[in-house]
Amino acid sequence: MSEAARLLAAYDDQLRTDAEAAGALAVRVLGPLRLVTFAQGRGFVTYRDLGGADAAAIDELVGQARAHFAADPATIEVEWKTRAHDLAPGLTESLARHGFVAEETESIMIGEAASLAVDVPLPEGVTIRQVSTEADVRAMCAMSARAFGDPPSDGEAIAVDLVSRLSAGDDLELWVAEADGAMVSAGRLEPVPDTEFAGIWGGSTLPAWRRRGIYRALTSARARSALRRGRTLIHSDSTEYSRPILERYGFVRVSTTTPYTWRP
């Protein structure tokens, strides 16, 4: 078995279904699917695989899943996270017919945490720290929204969710880099219970501070924390900004993922 195949098998075995439903308010099983309801009106569809279903059966599953979430007036949006390596005939066409819209495709990157836990020099005046107070979380999310070019309301919604998760004792960590007291880069670490993995998510750097090693240093800090927690593998859904950085540290692109989003 190749390294990429080994890591992809670990991803499928450890990071799908139950792992993706952690912190859910409710989970309904529908054939191979888990229909997950999170706080803030967010729905999510996950599965290990689709059980060899043909296009007609998959189309029925998509319709039933959408109907399930549509019946809940609290639903704001639902994400169906497709993976390129899945056997899923007609899935993307069915999602489009049922009103799901494709978002940006990202690379599923996996590698050893130890390979990221290296010393990275920071520009003068830049420091890294973990944050947890509501004020810091809101400032972090506002900065990230600016970095991604998203409206401030998106950052506010993410901040509300993260503050809620931290208050409930969620095991995630939030890390930021600051220059002269202002946040310029940020990212999350999410250890996955009962697995070898921790995820690195939400990596963002303001345009004026990119290509100075700040994101690499922030990633190294998160990798060191993952190792302290006994997680030896790191996974990330990476944009074209972060994928080359992870590849330089030996990470492997095992597949790609495209989220499809439906909003009532």
Side-chain angles (χ1 to χ4, degrees):
M1 180 182 292
S2 70
E3 179 69 357
R6 180 185 73 83
L7 293 173
L8 180 59
Y11 172 89
D12 283 337
D13 290 342
Q14 298 184 46
L15 294 180
R16 301 180 69 168
T17 60
D18 291 343
E20 291 181 305
L25 300 179
V27 179
R28 177 190 170 191
V29 176
L30 176 65
L33 307 181
R34 283 171 171 79
L35 309 182
V36 184
T37 300
F38 290 110
Q40 310 299 320
R42 295 179 298 115
F44 187 77
V45 180
T46 180
Y47 43 90
R48 169 60 175 79
D49 56 56
L50 292 172
D54 61 16
I58 287 174
D59 190 61
E60 184 174 353
L61 285 171
V62 172
Q64 291 177 333
R66 197 189 85 159
H68 165 78
F69 289 109
D72 182 355
T75 299
I76 294 175
E77 69 173 28
V78 178
E79 178 184 334
W80 186 305
K81 185 174 181 177
T82 69
R83 279 88 167 185
H85 64 284
D86 283 346
L87 178 62
L91 174 59
T92 57
E93 294 84 357
S94 177
L95 289 168
R97 281 195 303 273
H98 286 89
F100 287 79
V101 177
E103 308 289 345
E104 180 183 0
T105 296
E106 295 182 320
S107 298
I108 300 173
M109 306 296 295
I110 301 178
E112 300 288 339
S115 69
L116 288 178
V118 297
D119 292 330
V120 180
L122 283 166
E124 185 177 352
V126 175
T127 58
I128 288 176
R129 66 184 176 102
Q130 187 178 346
V131 300
S132 59
T133 68
E134 181 172 350
D136 279 341
V137 174
R138 289 186 178 277
M140 182 195 80
C141 293
M143 183 282 300
S144 293
R146 293 197 305 275
F148 286 127
D150 295 333
S153 59
D154 285 6
E156 293 167 4
I158 293 171
V160 169
D161 180 54
L162 292 178
V163 169
S164 175
R165 291 175 62 187
L166 288 170
S167 298
D170 200 311
D171 207 22
L172 84 161
E173 297 178 2
L174 307 178
W175 290 81
V176 300
E178 295 173 311
D180 298 323
M183 296 180 186
V184 299
S185 185
R188 304 194 309 275
L189 177 75
E190 302 207 14
V192 183
D194 304 316
T195 74
E196 303 170 79
F197 284 91
I200 53 175
W201 302 99
S204 58
T205 305
L206 293 175
W209 292 90
R210 292 172 187 166
R211 297 180 176 84
R212 301 194 193 187
I214 297 173
Y215 177 78
R216 284 185 290 134
L218 199 63
T219 300
S220 176
R222 290 181 286 172
R224 293 177 193 274
S225 183
L227 288 169
R228 288 194 295 269
R229 289 170 166 266
R231 304 305 195 276
T232 57
L233 294 175
I234 297 289
H235 72 104
S236 174
D237 292 349
S238 297
T239 66
E240 289 307 293
Y241 286 113
S242 56
R243 178 185 58 80
I245 296 172
L246 295 177
E247 285 180 332
R248 287 199 292 271
Y249 288 96
F251 274 53
V252 178
R253 180 168 66 172
V254 299
S255 187
T256 61
T257 177
T258 305
Y260 279 72
T261 303
W262 175 74
R263 295 180 175 87

